[in-house]
């Protein structure tokens, strides 16, 4: 239903499955309203992780990702970044990358339990599936260290050249988005 509830549910399942949960509060929480932080802090207390790294910590999130068996997020871009680093990713909320195949998006507690149980068995061959997200962000004006251009000016990410989709594909994508948005609003 929301991030605090997701955290408590995740913590319960981690304990049942024998995982040690480390919670890294997103640094963006430093500028969130006090009420949001109080709700989150209460959820962290209830979840009782093995370690909580708060939003003021200078701990390197990327180093945490490299050391983790898996990364679970509610929709932060750290999920797609962890996927690029080859970590298995579970995203418990909506995100701009949850349909790319670089993360598992459980919609029920049963699906979450299954995704957690599969962490050791699923491997971590998901990094290539994170590349389209990097390309999208680059096209929106964000600079990424690994996204470059070929001598012909085509985007390249991790030695993979991207080709522009045909015009009709862009129009179809836009029409689909409008349809889905209209349907969600009307439902």
């Amino acid at each position: 239903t929301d991030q605090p509830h997701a955290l408590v549910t995740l913590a319960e399942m981690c304990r049942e499955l024998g995982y040690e949960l480390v919670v890294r509060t997103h640094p963006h929480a430093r500028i969130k309203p006090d009420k949001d932080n109080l709700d989150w802090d209460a959820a962290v207390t209830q979840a009782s992780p093995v370690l909580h790294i708060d939003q003021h910590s200078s701990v390197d999130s990327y180093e945490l990702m490299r050391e983790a068996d898996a990364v679970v997020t509610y929709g932060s871009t750290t999920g797609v970044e962890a996927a690029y680093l080859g970590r298995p990713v579970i995203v418990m909320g909506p995100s701009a990358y949850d349909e790319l195949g670089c993360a598992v998006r459980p919609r029920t507690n049963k699906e979450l339990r299954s995704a957690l149980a599969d962490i050791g068995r699923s491997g971590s061959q998901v990094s290539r599936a994170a590349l389209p997200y990097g390309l999208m962000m680059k096209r929106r004006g964000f600079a990424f260290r690994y996204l470059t251009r070929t001598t012909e000016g085509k985007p390249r990410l991790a030695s993979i050249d991207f080709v522009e989709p045909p015009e009709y594909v862009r129009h179809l994508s836009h029409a689909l988005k409008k349809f889905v948005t209209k349907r969600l609003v009307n439902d």
Side-chain angles (χ1 to χ4, degrees):
T1 56
D2 60 15
Q3 283 182 307
H5 179 262
L7 174 61
V8 171
T9 302
L10 174 66
E12 290 169 0
M13 288 188 189
C14 283
R15 276 191 289 279
E16 290 171 16
L17 295 169
Y19 292 120
E20 292 183 343
L21 179 64
V22 174
V23 173
R24 167 63 156 128
T25 296
H26 199 291
H28 185 257
R30 290 180 291 211
I31 61 172
K32 289 227 174 205
D34 289 342
K35 167 96 170 78
D36 290 356
N37 283 316
L38 288 172
D39 291 345
W40 179 252
D41 290 342
V44 170
T45 299
Q46 185 179 352
S48 188
V50 171
L51 176 63
H52 174 228
I53 302 166
D54 72 22
Q55 62 268 35
H56 303 287
S57 174
S58 62
V59 168
D60 184 343
S61 295
Y62 299 104
E63 196 55 40
L64 287 173
M65 289 177 205
R66 286 182 192 96
E67 295 298 321
D69 292 326
V71 173
V72 182
T73 181
Y74 195 75
S76 168
T77 55
T78 57
V80 73
E81 291 168 320
Y84 182 76
L85 292 174
R87 309 311 321 143
V89 175
I90 299 171
V91 59
M92 295 179 70
S95 73
Y97 56 87
D98 61 9
E99 298 295 327
L100 293 178
C102 63
V104 174
R105 169 86 194 281
R107 304 250 187 330
T108 65
N109 285 355
K110 183 178 179 182
E111 289 177 6
L112 175 60
R113 183 180 309 283
S114 177
L116 288 168
D118 284 346
I119 286 171
R121 295 187 293 264
S122 62
S124 57
Q125 303 293 54
V126 295
S127 62
R128 289 180 62 116
L131 297 179
Y133 181 84
L135 179 62
M136 176 192 72
M137 296 305 285
K138 177 68 174 180
R139 287 185 174 159
R140 290 184 175 175
F142 292 88
F144 289 95
R145 178 173 27 169
Y146 300 105
L147 188 63
T148 59
R149 295 225 175 243
T150 66
T151 54
E152 298 84 28
K154 293 180 181 176
R156 175 180 279 169
L157 191 58
S159 76
I160 298 172
D161 294 344
F162 289 88
V163 220
E164 289 293 326
E167 189 69 24
Y168 74 89
V169 172
R170 290 195 295 269
H171 288 297
L172 181 61
S173 175
H174 181 70
L176 181 61
K177 180 183 181 237
K178 283 176 67 175
F179 172 77
V180 169
T181 302
K182 187 174 182 177
R183 183 162 180 164
L184 289 173
V185 170
N186 291 332
D187 282 349

